[in-house]
Amino acid sequence: MLTIGTLAKKTGTKVQTIRYYEQIGLMPEPGRTEGGQRRYGNAELDRLSFVRHARQLGFSLDAIRELLDLSDHPGKSCAEADAIARRQLKQVEQRLARLEALRTELKRMVHECSGGQTSDCRVLEVLRDHSECLTEHEDIGA
Amino acid sequence: MLTIGTLAKKTGTKVQTIRYYEQIGLMPEPGRTEGGQRRYGNAELDRLSFVRHARQLGFSLDAIRELLDLSDHPGKSCAEADAIARRQLKQVEQRLARLEALRTELKRMVHECSGGQTSDCRVLEVLRDHSECLTEHEDIGA
DNA sequence: CTTGAACCTACAGTAGCTAGAGGATGTAGA
DNA sequence: TCTACATCCTCTAGCTACTGTAGGTTCAAG
């Protein structure tokens, strides 16, 4: 039987985060000691590992909820899980494209800084100059 | 004189976002009509363009506040602005590295999906199997 | 003068946690 | 057994960067 702290260490999660997952129904309510402290078993350890791994892959908590549901019903079609993963992959590729553009522009900004006064600063100039903006009025993703 | 809606369209910002920027002190309080509606000039248009551009480049609102401050004091050293941009570049490169790793793993998941039942699903298997996790206990960034 | 789009304030909600207060529990050593 | 103290508990508020809604007012065109 694991305390919440031990579970936290084993999965690289904060204690509060585990309680938060319980609160939003992503983790089940565990057993308690007489004094009211949570005690976990291996099933919970596996489930939390699944959740953390999926989070590291960028899945939203909602997507993870779906994946857990699929995982709980082994007879269901794999297609849904595949669709979720594909959606995730698409999002990741979009973010990559954006970030690569940002890197280019930031590099340019840094290289062109002459080290003088801010009035000559390319960093500020690039940000001021709207016409150099590559991606106009695009939404700002995370 | 621009209404808030026109300013929003010109900069690709939502009206509420402009009011929010005003509230947190990123945009100045503009002039008002007799009826109390906001009216903007070119200075505000420039400032908001600066903010949006910086946001698209991934700068936090705090970083933008610093940049605006530098921009408002043209005598200051450029080094600070440069430092902010460098910090930002570093973050972008870290995010890129993470996302590239994620893409690899997601691609593998998707390609290996056999199309059968969830009990054989590679997507779920990969998420379940902690040992295949490349990046253990790393923090989850945006 | 009327209509309707755009404006106003104020407040609540989003994701995904994180931090703190103030107090209870569990366990190891003396 | 007592004590110390790390860990646990609940509850609430805060974070970033917005977004949405309700209920009401103003502006400009026809």
Side-chain angles (χ1 to χ4, degrees), chain B residues 42-60:
Chain B
N42 281 326
E44 283 98 338
L45 176 60
D46 286 351
R47 194 177 177 96
L48 186 54
S49 300
F50 184 105
V51 171
R52 294 311 286 178
H53 196 171
R55 284 292 297 138
Q56 284 174 347
L57 286 170
F59 290 92
S60 71

Side-chain angles (χ1 to χ4, degrees), chain A residues 65-85:
Chain A
R65 222 186 284 271
E66 287 183 74
L67 288 167
L68 281 168
D69 192 56
L70 292 170
S71 169
D72 288 342
H73 300 89
K76 276 197 183 176
S77 161
C78 173
E80 276 184 70
D82 187 55
I84 295 168

Side-chain angles (χ1 to χ4, degrees), chain B residues 61-81:
Chain B
L61 292 182
D62 267 358
I64 293 170
R65 222 187 285 271
E66 288 183 73
L67 288 167
L68 280 168
D69 192 56
L70 291 170
S71 170
D72 289 343
H73 300 89
K76 279 198 181 173
S77 161
C78 173
E80 274 184 70

